[in-house]
Amino acid sequence: MSSSADSSSVLIGLDYESSLSAGAVLARYYLSKSVKVSSKQQYTRMYEIWTDFCQRNGVPEFGADHKQLAACLSLVMLEDGSYSKVVTLSAAIAHEYRIRMLQSPTTHETITLLFRGFRNEHPQTRGKNDQYSEGSERIVASNPDDKICPVKLTINYFLFLGPTYTGYMVPSCTPKKTPNPNKAAPYSGALSDMKKLMSTLGYDATLYGEHSGKRGGATAAVANGATGNQLKRLGGWRSDTMAAKYVDLSINSRISMSQLLQN
């Protein structure tokens, strides 16, 4: 059944209810549709870890505090050693609380610090951005004559943060426009700022997204002779398919292909 049909069936069932209760039920329905089907399936599998923990320890599934959540996440981290797994588990729990319009214990500052502890204690834990278990070290060539040299921009950024700064590498800003070391910049805010910057530089911001830099870099690398293996290592991909998704055909490549068809 389509989403529109599902929505209609919900509305039909609410004909005889008050507007407040009907709205609340409808809100929960739409909140349940706030994540993609693939993410929801993954959340469902991971959420079973939480329900099992609650049942074994007499913890209320919806009403747990940050201490109980921290205990669950820590046990999973110790048992599996997978940072990505505890991140997904936390997201699954947050989702279930959100669709019920409840305050989730995942938002407590203790949980934020807990994840920082996970990263510090398990720096070599392989995540989706570290498929070769190389940690966080990256080597980038410097081009001092280029105004947008990535090394120069990175150094300037760290100079802006200051030599005594400790906290998130990409922090959010305080109302006074200073870095807030205890809070990471949200995805939506970072994306919005990036689009504003592109507009300021005279580019069409609608053409740029979160992965534009990675896609552009992969495309440029291939155009300049990078091999498939080099591309996968630099991009952190293990599969040829994933690496290929980030490479757009250059103008020269398209012209060459067109010429081949004409011969």
Side-chain angles (χ1 to χ4, degrees), residues 94-123:
H95 174 68
E96 292 297 329
Y97 271 75
R98 278 197 300 267
I99 63 177
R100 291 168 176 79
M101 291 180 279
L102 299 172
Q103 181 66 39
S104 172
T106 59
T107 61
H108 196 278
E109 62 179 351
T110 298
I111 304 303
T112 301
L113 293 174
L114 182 68
F115 277 102
R116 186 183 300 178
F118 290 158
R119 293 192 297 271
N120 291 341
E121 184 65 19
H122 305 276

Side-chain angles (χ1 to χ4, degrees), residues 149-163:
C149 167
V151 175
K152 184 190 297 183
L153 292 174
T154 302
I155 292 174
N156 288 340
Y157 175 70
F158 285 126
L159 289 175
F160 165 74
L161 291 179

Side-chain angles (χ1 to χ4, degrees), residues 77-149:
M77 187 70 206
L78 179 64
E79 181 178 348
D80 294 284
S82 173
Y83 181 75
S84 60
K85 185 172 183 177
V86 291
V87 168
T88 305
L89 173 57
S90 180
I93 295 170
H95 174 68
E96 292 297 329
Y97 271 75
R98 278 197 300 267
I99 63 177
R100 291 168 176 79
M101 291 180 279
L102 299 172
Q103 181 66 39
S104 172
T106 59
T107 61
H108 196 278
E109 62 179 351
T110 298
I111 304 303
T112 301
L113 293 174
L114 182 68
F115 277 102
R116 186 183 300 178
F118 290 158
R119 293 192 297 271
N120 291 341
E121 184 65 19
H122 305 276
Q124 298 301 320
T125 298
R126 193 179 82 188
K128 69 175 184 178
N129 295 320
D130 187 21
Q131 293 295 306
Y132 292 93
S133 299
E134 296 176 331
S136 58
E137 183 181 69
R138 295 293 183 270
I139 297 176
V140 181
S142 174
N143 186 358
D145 297 328
D146 192 338
K147 291 183 179 180
I148 56 173
C149 167

Side-chain angles (χ1 to χ4, degrees), residues 158-183:
F158 285 126
L159 289 175
F160 165 74
L161 291 179
T164 61
Y165 176 83
T166 56
Y168 284 100
M169 186 173 292
V170 186
S172 60
C173 290
T174 66
K176 295 183 179 180
K177 303 300 182 182
T178 58
N180 180 358
N182 298 316
K183 186 177 181 181

